[in-house]
Amino acid sequence: MTKFEICSLIINGLIAIAGFSAIFIYKAQKRDKIKTAATIVISQIDFIENVIKDLRSNNVLTNEIVYRSRPILDDNAWSQSKYLLSKRLGGDNVRLIENFYAQAEDIEKSRRAICHELVVAWEHKDYILQEHIAEIMSLTEEQRVKALEEFNDQFESNPKIFSPNLPITILVSNLSQFRYLLGTSAYEKLRKISYHS
């Protein structure tokens, strides 16, 4: 063998090693990406189920409970990761997860609608309050004292300004129909794929 052939053989060997290394690195990165995606989805499912449990644990959902509740679904991790995980989960499990996220989105829409209506009602109440105060301030001193007493009795003593019956009815209905994913085959497969395994 000549020096050229030996150098050529060494260079070809190094190229082959670099190629195999690139394939190995690519597969390792893809595996890590899939594990990370599954871990994020599992964490979000756990969070959603905890928030739903908190809402369901209240016998009566009041404006204050709904307004102070945590958002159920800000960002849909499943829709961002579905392309990585679908093949490994299978069709039935993918449908279970899709239904779970659809239910969570419906509940979040109801929760946001209630919060929005409450904010609008509070703003309206504040506007009415300011309007009455302006009217009272334009009265004479004697009329102002009497008007302030009446106003205080009628306006401030009634904290119930708005009852969002339709959105709360929809929210309660959605909560009662919600199906947990924990304990299903879809959840277990996701868990095995994730870093939680």
Side-chain angles (χ1 to χ4, degrees), residues 42 88-94 96-97 180-193:
I42 280 286
R88 292 178 180 255
L89 292 171
D92 290 340
N93 291 327
V94 167
L96 274 173
I97 295 169
Y180 293 103
L181 208 54
L182 182 68
T184 64
S185 62
Y187 186 87
E188 294 307 317
K189 275 195 171 183
L190 264 175
R191 193 165 191 78
K192 284 178 185 173
I193 296 169

Side-chain angles (χ1 to χ4, degrees), residues 57-76:
S57 68
N58 295 295
N59 291 335
V60 177
L61 280 177
T62 62
N63 294 342
E64 185 177 352
I65 290 170
V66 174
Y67 187 76
R68 292 180 187 273
S69 66
R70 296 176 290 177
I72 295 160
L73 185 65
D74 281 331
D75 192 29
N76 190 327

